[in-house]
Amino acid sequence: MPTTSAPTLAQLENASEFHARHIGIDAADEALMLKAIGETSRRALIDSIVPRSIARSSTMDIPAAITEAAALAELKALAGKNQVLKSFIGQGYYGTHTPGVILRNILENPAWYTAYTPYQAEISQGRMEALVNFQTMVCDLTGMPMANASMLDEATAAAESMTLAKRSVRSKSNVFVVAGDCHPQTIEVIQTRAKPLGITVALANSAPEWEAAMAGDYFAVLAQYPATSGRIDDLRADVKLAHSKNAAFIVAADLLALTLLTPPGEFDADIVVGTTQRFGMPLCNGGPHAAYMACRDEYKRSMPGRIVGVSIDTHGNPAYRLALQTREQHIRREKATSNICTAQVLPAVVASMYAVYHGPEGLTRIAQRVAKFTAILAKGLEQLGAPLRAQATFDTVTLKTDGATNSIAARAVSAGANLRIYFKDYLCISLDETTTRADLALIWSLFAKDGQALPTVEALEGSVDTLIPAALRRTSKFLTHPVFNTHHSETGMLRYIRMLSDKDLALDRSMIPLGSCTMKLNATSEMIPITWPEFANIHPFAPADQRQGYAELDAQLRAWLCAATGYAGISLQPNAGSQGEYAGLLTIQAYHASKGQAHRNICLIPSSAHGTNPASAQMVGMQVVVTKCDENGNVDMADLQAKCEQHSANLAAVMITYPSTHGVFETSVKELCALVHQHGGRVYVDGANMNALVGTAAPGEFGGDVSHLNLHKTFCIPHGGGGPGVGPVCVVADLVPFLPGHATGGVPGTGAVSAAPLGNAAVLPISWMYCRMMGPDGLQHATEAAILAANYISARLADHYPTLYASANGHVAHECILDLRHFKDTCGVMAEDVAKRLMDYGFHAPTLSFPVPNTLMVEPTESETLAELDRFVNAMIAIRGEIARVEKGEWPQDNNPLKHAPHTAASLLGGEWDRPYSREVGAFPVASLKAVKYWPSVGRVDNVYGDRNLFCSCVPLAEYAEG
């Protein structure tokens, strides 16, 4: 017998390489898959798919892979360079206690963080109930009738409210009045958004300026409540004045304060925005946090973002679904009201569960404690003779410190605390849920003169009330629905969370084969660091030297992403893919303006593009011109050339997706880029399909000028049920000066596109860990494995469902479009029926009817095992057999397992069964499901009914069903 040589030490050390765990296909699997495809090797397959004209010739300049343990240790050292001080900065970011039951069972639970956007309602009932709770919470606290299911951050929500008001009011003015006492980051994002739309932002930094602005002409007004300095203004007269001018009044409100303050809806505000950060989400260096938007009922059909509504299923039972604006930017394209296609679902769920767990009494108690501590702090400062500015306030005191401002702030840092410098001559001190008596003593010590005795909480607490004016104290009830008054024990809360997650289908249960959405492994080692205190408890506006760990992480990750894409510079500020598109187009626009060519405003977009592309172009004031695609789904180069020549003098950009939205590597991409450059335009390469490019080709090398990446796709940040995401914008060298950035951070560029300098900073360690553990070879292997898996599925299903688009040799990129259109004629079966029937087999459906109606777009990713790929293939083949029975007339076109899918346990256990197939066929279409079965909690949801009867808050479902 031949002897096997002992492994070397190096082999033993590398035996736990991460990429072997991330990539689900081993060498033996690969051989079987290549045989099914008809290729001799993975290298030969890739060479036959990626055009040789764009293939990378060099290895990415990314450090070699290290083990999970080594990467965690390296990142821990990086995190240790952050200094976690007690921050009293406020400015929209506050300390909070995340209840342990929520931290462990939602924020750190893959059943919640690996879920996809709830486009398939029947397998998303749990997270949609949590989002309805969120919407109810926002409606109740703001006093408004309508709320959406979260926004990206407070500043973005304010900017979106500006455009919502513009299209909703009768005023024809282009002036937007903004109180100077709004949060500075909100003002910056609004100014960035307003400029390309021709909106004038009238910033009122003093009382006289405010009075003058309010007396003028405008279409809307924004005020902070309480103001960023803590002051609480009575806005009722201002609201009436704005309405007399046919203008809207927008309030940026603190939800915790609204438990004690008169809600804006009660003084007739039109739109209310804000953040839910202090409802259980850590500071996170600025994100991710769920913002909110609420509005009056007549604005609901123009409201941006997602709304979860209530409908009924096929059995007449109540069910949740996304309503109205769901993916409306994909439908309306350049006429869309917003380009937002993700939200902040996971942080929104955390915030809603925080409200469920504490209930109205608990939230009120937390707010009262903050307000009481603030009043005691103010009284103590007054006793010490500190220069306190008298004001009504909830959680923030302001002191006019003049020339002593910097020295007091420095003294605070030395004592382990951060105060906020406000307009150079003021200090603001904000308290929160985490404030203790010791914190007040520390603050008092900063203002005490030598030998002066410090006040004590015990001496003051009996003699002070809150500093909230009596006329603005809340009297109305909120959160009266039973869900907010039931689950207050940890046992009850734990079971409620589990009950909801059991209704959902996430990546922890099965493959989610969504085309263009890249649902891949979100490894536990990547997720662990996000809740480390060194990352989670950093205030985004703390002094820069306290954020050195984040600065190094930012620099390293940007360098690695540049290496992966071939670009020269990257900004990580955009906190969603849609924000990345928007930032990229702003960058192009700013570049043209710097060359004296601000008139360039034509954006060419192929008809196959993601719907967010034309919506983003519209947001920056560009004019969209659609170009044709040929019969193979490729960009029609002749039509593109004609459009380039027609619009040569005004051509700003072309936006393409590569590989194409149809899942094919187009061979003429270099010629396309050269053509656009010849006419003075810049090339935007949508990075949604970057999972087919990393290590194989680089858009910054083959002609792209700008790309956004989806870190929540290619670089492993989980989808979280529809957010958080990160959408970095990458550019070539001459565009680097025009990247977005905060003026407050000293960064030149196009302006801020999100509230925090690093956007959703706290999830960046996920992508850092992925790159560090994979290394350049692992990253390239992942790309090739994803392409292999897509071609394997296409080949295995070729005799059952033709692949709609492919290259000349029959291959696809990392995804394939299965053509189901002919079934409509042969038996009345639609792609939606197949999508719903897949639920009975335990699968989330592939992407439905995009980019081609009545098709399914499949992207298996590199993380799935061959066994799981085969399970999906076998399910699709079995469904094709069911379709054949309908085609043969064995089952009626309107009474078969596909039309009745998904099958709930209740529907199968009912008394009568009048269907031409057995209950067992409905429940267990393949035998393996008898051992492991996922049961959808509702039957097929009626979409039309839901839009005609819109409910977006916690209507008592029993009453709703009866009604």
Side-chain angles (χ1 to χ4, degrees):
M1 298 238 348
T3 58
T4 303
S5 58
T8 66
L9 179 60
Q11 289 172 326
L12 291 171
E13 288 177 315
N14 294 328
S16 62
E17 284 180 329
F18 172 74
H19 74 82
R21 303 188 186 280
H22 176 80
I23 298 170
I25 301 162
D26 63 21
D29 296 334
E30 186 175 296
L32 290 172
M33 295 166 71
L34 287 167
K35 183 177 180 181
I37 296 167
E39 288 287 357
T40 56
S41 67
R42 190 173 83 230
R43 178 78 272 136
L45 175 68
I46 299 302
D47 287 348
S48 71
I49 292 173
V50 181
R52 293 301 86 200
S53 61
I54 66 168
R56 292 190 78 128
S57 58
S58 59
T59 302
M60 295 175 287
D61 186 15
I62 294 173
I66 57 178
T67 65
E68 295 179 58
L72 283 168
E74 192 172 305
L75 187 59
K76 190 71 173 178
L78 203 61
K81 296 182 180 182
N82 292 326
Q83 299 177 47
V84 183
L85 274 65
K86 190 64 181 281
S87 285
F88 301 101
I89 296 171
Q91 199 173 323
Y93 301 94
Y94 304 89
T96 183
H97 294 303
T98 308
V101 66
I102 295 174
L103 175 71
R104 175 62 58 87
N105 296 290
I106 291 179
L107 196 57
E108 298 176 346
N109 183 352
W112 289 91
Y113 67 68
T114 69
Y116 183 58
T117 301
Y119 293 141
Q120 294 292 339
E122 296 82 1
I123 53 176
S124 308
Q125 290 295 298
R127 82 197 76 128
M128 285 202 284
E129 178 170 329
L131 291 175
V132 166
N133 293 345
F134 177 90
Q135 293 171 177
T136 304
M137 172 187 81
V138 171
C139 287
D140 279 14
L141 288 170
T142 61
M144 303 298 288
M146 181 64 55
N148 66 15
S150 77
M151 302 290 282
L152 299 173
D153 58 37
E154 179 171 342
T156 302
E160 292 280 353
S161 73
M162 173 180 70
T163 54
L164 171 59
K166 187 73 177 74
R167 59 180 175 265
S168 300
V169 299
R170 293 200 301 273
S171 171
K172 301 302 179 185
S173 172
N174 282 322
V175 175
F176 184 52
V177 176
V178 178
D181 216 354
C182 289
H183 294 318
Q185 68 271 20
T186 298
I187 294 171
E188 279 197 61
V189 171
I190 284 172
Q191 289 170 330
T192 300
R193 180 71 65 90
K195 184 178 178 182
L197 299 177
I199 293 173
T200 300
V201 177
L203 191 60
N205 281 321
S206 66
E209 289 180 7
W210 175 258
E211 290 177 9
M214 289 297 294
D217 187 32
Y218 46 84
F219 70 86
V221 180
L222 172 67
Q224 196 92 36
Y225 179 71
T228 194
S229 63
R231 190 185 69 251
I232 301 173
D233 292 320
D234 187 339
L235 300 171
R236 287 175 286 198
D238 294 320
V239 171
K240 288 181 179 178
L241 179 57
H243 289 168
S244 72
K245 296 172 179 287
N246 295 317
F249 201 96
I250 304 164
V251 178
D254 183 315
L255 281 191
L256 188 63
L258 293 185
T259 64
L260 306 181
L261 289 174
T262 300
E266 292 182 15
F267 53 76
D268 210 20
D270 300 284
I271 306 171
V272 188
V273 297
T275 178
T276 63
Q277 178 268 316
R278 68 195 306 173
F279 279 31
M281 277 299 292
L283 291 164
C284 293
N285 195 21
H289 304 131
Y292 71 85
M293 176 183 284
C295 67
R296 57 174 65 251
D297 188 71
E298 50 264 44
Y299 292 177
K300 66 188 176 189
R301 294 186 185 272
S302 293
M303 195 182 200
R306 297 185 179 132
I307 298 173
V308 177
V310 183
S311 185
I312 56 173
D313 73 358
T314 190
H315 310 296
N317 299 315
Y320 299 109
R321 61 178 286 274
L322 289 177
L324 296 182
Q325 283 73 28
T326 302
R327 305 195 83 181
E328 64 96 30
Q329 79 282 0
H330 287 286
I331 299 165
R332 302 190 67 210
R333 301 174 74 80
E334 70 272 15
K335 294 181 176 63
T337 56
S338 169
N339 75 336
I340 290 176
C341 66
T342 55
Q344 295 278 30
V345 171
L346 190 65
V349 171
V350 169
S352 74
M353 290 299 182
Y354 182 92
V356 168
Y357 194 42
H358 288 295
E361 292 182 4
L363 292 181
T364 302
R365 189 163 52 248
I366 292 168
Q368 287 173 334
R369 181 178 181 276
V370 172
K372 186 81 168 180
F373 263 142
T374 305
I376 293 170
L377 173 64
K379 188 71 172 179
L381 289 169
E382 187 180 282
Q383 286 186 2
L384 292 169
L388 189 68
R389 189 171 76 176
Q391 62 182 27
T393 187
F394 164 62
D395 63 5
T396 302
V397 298
T398 300
L399 301 99
K400 193 173 190 309
T401 43
D402 298 325
T405 302
N406 290 328
S407 62
I408 297 172
R411 191 157 68 246
V413 169
S414 298
N418 290 317
L419 309 183
R420 178 183 171 202
I421 296 175
Y422 180 60
F423 282 117
K424 296 182 180 179
D425 295 329
Y426 294 87
L427 281 174
C428 290
I429 304 169
S430 296
L431 307 186
D432 55 47
E433 179 188 7
T434 69
T435 300
T436 64
R437 296 176 180 228
D439 292 331
L440 267 59
L442 184 152
I443 295 168
W444 284 327
S445 72
L446 300 174
F447 294 90
K449 301 177 179 63
D450 291 341
Q452 191 173 19
L454 294 183
T456 67
V457 173
E458 291 76 13
L460 296 175
E461 61 180 313
S463 61
V464 298
D465 191 8
T466 68
L467 298 176
I468 297 172
L472 288 178
R473 293 185 184 180
R474 181 167 196 146
T475 58
S476 56
K477 293 183 178 181
F478 56 90
L479 303 186
T480 57
H481 190 276
V483 74
F484 298 105
N485 295 278
T486 304
H487 310 292
H488 301 327
S489 74
E490 181 161 338
T491 304
M493 189 68 184
L494 177 68
R495 290 172 181 160
Y496 180 61
I497 292 171
R498 176 59 187 265
M499 182 268 289
L500 293 187
S501 65
D502 280 347
K503 293 182 178 182
D504 287 4
L505 191 66
L507 204 59
D508 65 326
R509 289 183 191 262
S510 75
M511 172 187 183
I512 300 181
L514 287 154
S516 197
C517 287
T518 317
M519 298 295 291
K520 66 206 292 184
L521 171 67
N522 315 119
T524 305
S525 290
E526 294 159 5
M527 300 302 296
I528 286 171
I530 68 170
T531 51
W532 286 349
E534 300 92 336
F535 286 134
N537 295 343
I538 299 292
H539 195 290
F541 299 114
D545 61 357
Q546 295 176 22
R547 293 179 277 116
Q548 285 303 303
Y550 264 115
E552 288 191 31
L553 185 146
D554 172 52
Q556 290 178 9
L557 184 55
R558 284 189 292 110
W560 299 344
L561 295 177
C562 281
T565 59
Y567 284 109
I570 293 180
S571 168
L572 298 178
Q573 188 181 91
N575 52 8
S578 57
Q579 294 290 82
E581 288 185 20
Y582 167 63
L585 292 175
L586 284 176
T587 300
I588 291 172
Q589 200 172 53
Y591 166 82
H592 286 312
S594 75
K595 299 296 183 183
Q597 298 184 344
H599 61 276
R600 289 188 174 270
N601 71 333
I602 299 295
C603 186
L604 303 180
I605 302 180
S607 59
S608 64
H610 291 110
T612 51
N613 291 173
S616 297
Q618 175 269 332
M619 279 177 59
V620 301
M622 289 185 180
Q623 180 181 337
V624 174
V625 173
V626 177
T627 66
K628 298 176 183 177
C629 289
D630 63 23
E631 60 183 12
N632 295 316
N634 301 317
V635 174
D636 186 323
M637 289 297 291
D639 186 58
L640 181 70
Q641 180 171 351
K643 295 291 197 318
C644 282
E645 291 172 353
Q646 178 185 352
H647 299 287
S648 184
N650 296 311
L651 181 60
V654 64
M655 297 184 80
I656 63 169
T657 299
Y658 199 79
S660 75
T661 308
H662 294 139
V664 178
F665 280 92
E666 299 184 36
T667 57
S668 58
V669 66
K670 289 191 75 170
E671 292 79 4
L672 182 153
C673 295
L675 174 63
V676 174
H677 290 154
Q678 177 186 334
H679 290 274
R682 306 307 292 256
V683 178
Y684 187 103
V685 181
D686 188 316
N689 291 342
M690 195 70 198
N691 213 46
L693 292 179
V694 178
T696 64
E701 293 178 358
F702 63 64
D705 297 300
V706 180
S707 290
H708 86 273
L709 303 177
N710 295 100
L711 297 192
H712 48 290
K713 294 181 181 180
T714 307
F715 293 93
C716 287
I717 293 173
H719 282 246
V726 181
V729 57
C730 322
V731 297
V732 292
D734 65 336
L735 295 181
V736 170
F738 306 102
L739 283 170
H742 272 258
T744 52
V747 181
T750 61
V753 296
S754 67
L758 270 183
N760 282 340
V763 292
L764 296 176
I766 300 170
S767 297
W768 187 98
M769 283 289 291
Y770 176 61
C771 292
R772 193 69 186 92
M773 293 188 296
M774 291 291 278
D777 296 338
L779 290 171
Q780 182 170 340
H781 187 180
T783 300
E784 294 175 355
I787 293 173
L788 171 66
N791 281 276
Y792 175 73
I793 285 179
S794 178
R796 284 285 317 274
L797 291 177
D799 294 338
H800 309 278
Y801 308 90
T803 295
L804 184 55
Y805 297 111
S807 56
N809 59 11
H811 293 328
V812 296
H814 64 310
E815 58 192 2
C816 59
I817 299 176
L818 304 179
D819 192 358
L820 284 70
R821 294 175 295 177
H822 55 289
F823 295 136
K824 180 181 178 181
D825 296 327
T826 62
C827 59
V829 169
M830 305 293 287
E832 183 179 16
D833 300 321
V834 176
K836 304 305 181 187
R837 183 58 171 155
L838 274 168
M839 297 175 190
D840 291 329
Y841 286 78
F843 281 105
H844 192 295
T847 298
L848 176 65
S849 292
F850 176 82
V852 179
N854 211 15
T855 64
L856 294 174
M857 183 160 65
V858 182
E859 181 180 350
T861 85
E862 71 275 12
S863 294
E864 299 301 339
T865 63
L866 179 57
E868 186 71 354
L869 297 178
D870 283 339
R871 191 171 78 88
F872 174 74
V873 166
N874 293 338
M876 290 297 292
I877 292 173
I879 291 172
R880 180 62 184 93
E882 295 175 345
I883 294 172
R885 296 187 68 174
V886 181
E887 289 174 319
K888 294 173 184 176
E890 296 177 23
W891 290 334
Q893 291 193 9
D894 61 350
N895 189 7
N896 57 69
L898 290 105
K899 291 297 183 181
H900 288 300
H903 294 79
T904 64
S907 69
L908 290 163
L909 294 172
E912 294 187 10
W913 186 260
D914 59 355
R915 299 177 185 177
Y917 58 94
S918 69
R919 298 175 198 258
E920 185 170 5
V921 166
F924 305 116
V926 292
S928 60
L929 289 169
K930 293 181 179 180
V932 181
K933 173 67 178 177
Y934 164 77
W935 290 101
S937 59
V938 298
R940 195 174 304 194
V941 177
D942 188 329
N943 293 327
V944 175
Y945 184 98
D947 277 350
R948 288 178 178 170
N949 303 274
L950 180 64
F951 293 88
C952 75
S953 57
C954 290
V955 179
L957 293 187
E959 294 178 21
Y960 171 76
E962 290 168 7

